Amino acid sequence: LHEIIRPTTIIRSPRLDSRTGCSITLASETFQFTGSFKFRAAYNVAASVKQKMIITASSGNFGQALAYACSLLGKQCKVVMPDNSARVKVEAVKEFGGEVDLVKTTETSRSQRLAELAALHTDAYVASAYDDPLVIAGNASLGKEIASLPGGADAVVVPIGGGGLSAGIIDGLRQAQRQWPVYGCEPAMANDASRSLRAGKIIANESEPQTIADGARTLSIGNHNWKVLKEGLQDVIEVSEKSIEEAVRLLFFFANLKAEPTGAMSLAAVLTRADLFAGKKVVCVVSGGNIDPAAFIRIISAAKS
Amino acid sequence: LHEIIRPTTIIRSPRLDSRTGCSITLASETFQFTGSFKFRAAYNVAASVKQKMIITASSGNFGQALAYACSLLGKQCKVVMPDNSARVKVEAVKEFGGEVDLVKTTETSRSQRLAELAALHTDAYVASAYDDPLVIAGNASLGKEIASLPGGADAVVVPIGGGGLSAGIIDGLRQAQRQWPVYGCEPAMANDASRSLRAGKIIANESEPQTIADGARTLSIGNHNWKVLKEGLQDVIEVSEKSIEEAVRLLFFFANLKAEPTGAMSLAAVLTRADLFAGKKVVCVVSGGNIDPAAFIRIISAAKS
C-alpha cells in the first residue's frame, strides 16, 4: 500500500501561526493521487476485494479516486453520477479510467440505480465511499503518518463528512500508540456528527445540507465509522460557512495552498475555537484540493472581513 | 542547514502527464519557508556570514526570505524596496521581521540607496539575491534533493532569472554525481540567458523586461552563476508569456498547485518543447508560489485556449 499512496504534504507557515496564535502543521492531502485523501481508501478497497469490477455512487472525490485505483489495478470501475453533475467532474472520472453511469435523479435515485447495476453485475463489488472497514483501514495510513510527526501534537483536527477519514485517523494514531486528542469539524448547517456525539447515537440530517463544504453534504455518519468515532473523538467543532471561506483564503494567501472548502474546515475550526487551541501544537488535516474554479475565484476575490 | 530548510514537495499528476506526453515530477518550492526557493540561499547567507546586520535590495522573494532567515538567526535585516512596491510585499517583509527601507526610485536608484546604507553601516553584510557563492551553495541543497529522487530523471528543467537557482541545482546534482541534463527556461522577452549561452559570455537585457514572470526581470545572470551555467546548462528554452499563463492554469487545474508565473516556466518549457521531452522523465522545478492574488485570478479566469 505505502508504495502507491503518496505521503501527505506537511506544511508549516509562520504567517498562519501568527494569525491563529497556534503552532499549526498542515497535513495536506491535496497532492494525493486524484487530489484528495479518498485515494487512500479507494485503493485499499480496490486492492483488497477479489472482484474484478467495482461499482459505486459518487459525484465527488471518491469516484475519481476509485476510478484511478481500479485503473492501476487493472479492474473495471463504474461510477453512478447525477446527470446534472459538473462536466469537469464527469470528465475527471472518465480520464482516470472509470465508466460514468449518468442517472436522472428526478426519476431514479442514485441508490436505486446502484441497486439496479448490482443486480445486473452480480460479480461486482459495490463500494461505499465511507461505510466500509476497508475505508477506515485505508485512511488509517494517514493517521500513522501523522503519528510520526517529529515534535508531536496537542490536537489533530479533521474534517467530517461520512466519518471515514476521522475514524481512519483515530485508528492510525491508536495503532501508533498516540493519545493525541482528535477533533472533528463539520459545517454548522450540516452538524449531524455533533448532534450524534451528544445523543450517543447516529443522528441523520433530514436532507442533504447545501453547505459550501460539499464533502460534508452526507446525510449521516457511516455505521462502521460511528463505532470508532463515538469513543475516539474528543469533540466536534461546528464551523460557519463564512469561516470556511476565510480559511480557504488564509490557506491561499499565507500557505500557498489551494484547498477545497471541505479541506479548509480544519483551519476554520481553529479560527472558530481560538480559545481552545491558543498556544497549542495543532495538526490541521486538509482533506483535498478539488474545487470548482469559479467557486474558488469567488472566495479568493471576496474582500477580507 | 537541512534541519531548517523544508524539503521540496514532490508532486506527480497523471492528468498532467497525459496532457504533456511526459512523465513529469514537480519539485515544488511553493511550501518552502516564505513561499519560494529563495529561503535556501538566504538562510545559507545569513548563517554563514559573521556580520550581525544584513542589507539587501529586493522587491520580491529574496527580501522576505532574508528577513525570515535573519529573524531565525537573531540578526538584523534591512531590505531596500521601491516606494511603489505592492503593499502586500512590503507587509510580508515586515511580518517576517525585516526593516523596509523605501526608496523613491525616480530620485534614487536601489543600488545607490544600497551603497548609502552600506556606507552608513560598515559592519553590515550586503547580500546579493543571485550573485554570491553562498547563494549557489544554499540552492545546491535542492539539487541534492532532486538527485535522490527514486527512478531518476532524463531531464531537469529550471527557471532562470539571475541564475542562482539553476547554478545551485547543477552544483547539487554534480555533488551527488548525477549526469542528468539541466535545461534552463526563461521568458522569450527576457532571453538574456539564452543569448549569453549562444554568445559564450554574459549578455544583459537593455532594460528590465516587463514579463509576467517577475522573478526573471533581472538584467543579467550573476557572474558566479555564469561560471557554473556556461558549462553546466544543456540548453535554455525560451517560453512565451502565453505559455507561462497556460502552465499556471495546468498546475492549478490538474496538480492543485498554486504557482507563481516564474515558477510555472518549467512546465511552460515542457509545453513549448514537446518534441524534446516526449516520453521522458522530466523534473520540473516550480521555484515559488507567491503571486499577487489579482494576477492569479486573472490568469485562472482566462478561457483555456
Side-chain angles (χ1 to χ4, degrees):
Chain A
L1 183 61
H2 289 100
E3 286 173 26
I4 303 286
I5 301 297
R6 297 221 10 96
T8 201
T9 304
I10 300 301
I11 300 170
R12 296 294 325 268
S13 162
R15 299 181 82 187
L16 216 48
D17 287 357
S18 73
R19 271 162 187 78
T20 55
C22 314
S23 171
I24 290 185
T25 297
L26 303 172
S28 177
E29 287 286 288
T30 60
F31 305 114
Q32 188 54 262
F33 282 115
T34 69
S36 86
F37 77 98
K38 292 279 185 184
F39 182 73
R40 294 177 184 262
Y43 191 85
N44 196 41
V45 169
S48 301
V49 302
K50 61 179 191 305
Q51 286 87 340
K52 293 288 179 197
M53 182 194 288
I54 307 186
I55 309 176
T56 197
S58 164
S59 53
N61 286 328
F62 188 70
Q64 296 181 33
L66 191 66
Y68 188 56
C70 286
S71 82
L72 291 177
L73 291 158
K75 296 191 173 190
Q76 205 184 337
C77 177
K78 285 184 194 290
V79 181
V80 176
M81 301 180 81
D83 66 352
N84 60 355
S85 300
R87 200 174 57 87
V88 287
K89 291 189 174 185
V90 173
E91 289 308 312
V93 171
K94 286 184 184 170
E95 207 179 319
F96 283 121
E99 262 174 70
V100 174
D101 187 283
L102 289 177
V103 59
K104 266 197 166 54
T105 46
T106 48
E107 291 170 16
T108 314
S109 78
R110 280 184 273 179
S111 53
Q112 276 176 316
R113 179 59 186 154
L114 199 58
E116 280 176 24
L117 283 176
L120 269 172
H121 303 280
T122 51
D123 54 337
Y125 183 82
V126 178
S128 161
Y130 58 87
D131 198 18
D132 187 327
L134 290 170
V135 164
I136 300 178
N139 292 332
S141 62
L142 178 53
K144 282 183 260 184
E145 286 183 42
I146 291 170
S148 72
L149 278 179
D154 299 317
V156 181
V157 187
V158 188
I160 293 194
L165 178 58
S166 46
I169 286 177
I170 289 168
D171 192 49
L173 287 172
R174 267 191 202 147
Q175 289 181 45
Q177 303 187 312
R178 298 291 187 195
Q179 312 287 331
W180 307 339
V182 174
Y183 291 84
C185 50
E186 67 182 354
M189 68 186 282
N191 67 347
D192 60 293
S194 176
R195 287 185 288 144
S196 299
L197 207 64
R198 273 178 275 144
K201 60 177 184 184
I202 296 179
I203 307 271
N205 295 309
E206 288 184 8
S207 61
E208 207 174 84
Q210 291 309 299
T211 167
I212 191 173
D214 56 3
R217 288 181 188 166
T218 38
L219 287 180
S220 76
I221 287 173
N223 291 306
H224 292 95
N225 304 331
W226 173 243
K227 286 177 203 152
V228 179
L229 297 178
K230 67 179 177 183
E231 307 289 345
L233 271 184
Q234 183 75 18
D235 205 349
V236 175
I237 297 168
E238 299 181 29
V239 298
S240 68
E241 301 294 295
K242 221 171 150 175
S243 73
I244 295 173
E245 296 194 3
E246 178 66 8
V248 169
R249 280 191 290 270
L250 289 177
L251 291 171
F252 180 81
F253 289 125
F254 301 117
N256 278 341
L257 190 63
K258 177 196 174 196
E260 60 184 72
T262 309
M265 287 203 296
S266 52
L267 181 60
V270 170
L271 298 173
T272 304
R273 292 297 309 277
D275 58 315
L276 186 63
F277 296 112
K280 294 198 172 150
K281 283 191 272 191
V282 185
V283 176
C284 289
V285 175
V286 179
S287 52
N290 299 333
I291 176 172
D292 174 57
F296 194 74
I297 289 168
R298 182 187 62 73
I299 294 172
I300 297 304
S301 305
K304 280 193 278 182
S305 50
Chain B
L1 183 61
H2 288 100
E3 285 173 23
I4 302 286
I5 302 297
R6 295 218 16 89
T8 201
T9 303
I10 300 300
I11 300 170
R12 298 291 326 265
S13 162
R15 299 181 83 186
L16 216 47
D17 288 356
S18 73
R19 271 163 187 77
T20 56
C22 313
S23 171
I24 290 185
T25 298
L26 303 172
S28 177
E29 287 287 289
T30 60
F31 305 114
Q32 187 54 263
F33 282 115
T34 71
S36 86
F37 78 98
K38 291 279 184 185
F39 183 73
R40 294 177 185 260
Y43 191 86
N44 197 41
V45 169
S48 301
V49 303
K50 62 178 190 305
Q51 286 87 340
K52 294 288 181 198
M53 183 194 288
I54 306 185
I55 308 177
T56 197
S58 163
S59 53
N61 286 328
F62 189 70
Q64 297 182 33
L66 191 65
Y68 188 56
C70 285
S71 81
L72 290 177
L73 292 157
K75 296 192 173 190
Q76 206 184 336
C77 177
K78 285 184 194 289
V79 181
V80 175
M81 300 180 81
D83 66 351
N84 61 356
S85 300
R87 200 173 57 86
V88 289
K89 290 190 174 183
V90 174
E91 289 307 313
V93 171
K94 286 184 185 170
E95 208 180 318
F96 283 121
E99 265 175 67
V100 174
D101 188 281
L102 289 178
V103 60
K104 267 196 165 54
T105 45
T106 48
E107 292 170 16
T108 314
S109 78
R110 281 183 274 179
S111 53
Q112 276 176 316
R113 180 60 187 154
L114 200 58
E116 279 175 25
L117 282 176
L120 269 172
H121 303 280
T122 51
D123 54 338
Y125 183 81
V126 179
S128 161
Y130 58 87
D131 197 18
D132 186 330
L134 291 171
V135 164
I136 300 178
N139 291 334
S141 62
L142 179 53
K144 283 182 261 184
E145 286 183 42
I146 291 170
S148 73
L149 278 179
D154 299 317
V156 180
V157 187
V158 188
I160 293 194
L165 178 59
S166 45
I169 285 176
I170 289 168
D171 192 49
L173 288 171
R174 265 190 203 148
Q175 288 181 46
Q177 303 185 312
R178 298 290 187 197
Q179 313 287 333
W180 307 338
V182 174
Y183 292 84
C185 50
E186 67 183 354
M189 67 186 283
N191 67 346
D192 60 292
S194 176
R195 287 185 288 143
S196 301
L197 207 63
R198 272 178 277 143
K201 61 178 184 181
I202 297 179
I203 308 271
N205 295 309
E206 288 183 10
S207 61
E208 207 175 84
Q210 291 309 299
T211 165
I212 192 174
D214 55 4
R217 288 180 189 167
T218 38
L219 287 180
S220 75
I221 288 173
N223 291 307
H224 291 97
N225 303 331
W226 174 244
K227 286 177 204 154
V228 180
L229 297 179
K230 67 179 176 182
E231 306 291 342
L233 272 183
Q234 182 75 20
D235 205 350
V236 175
I237 298 167
E238 299 181 30
V239 298
S240 69
E241 300 293 295
K242 221 170 152 179
S243 74
I244 296 173
E245 296 195 3
E246 178 66 7
V248 169
R249 280 191 289 272
L250 289 177
L251 291 172
F252 180 80
F253 289 125
F254 301 117
N256 278 342
L257 190 63
K258 177 196 175 195
E260 59 184 74
T262 309
M265 286 202 298
S266 51
L267 181 60
V270 170
L271 298 174
T272 304
R273 292 298 310 275
D275 58 314
L276 187 61
F277 297 113
K280 293 199 173 149
K281 284 191 273 190
V282 185
V283 176
C284 288
V285 175
V286 180
S287 52
N290 299 333
I291 175 172
D292 174 55
F296 194 74
I297 289 167
R298 182 187 62 73
I299 294 171
I300 298 304
S301 305
K304 281 191 278 182
S305 48

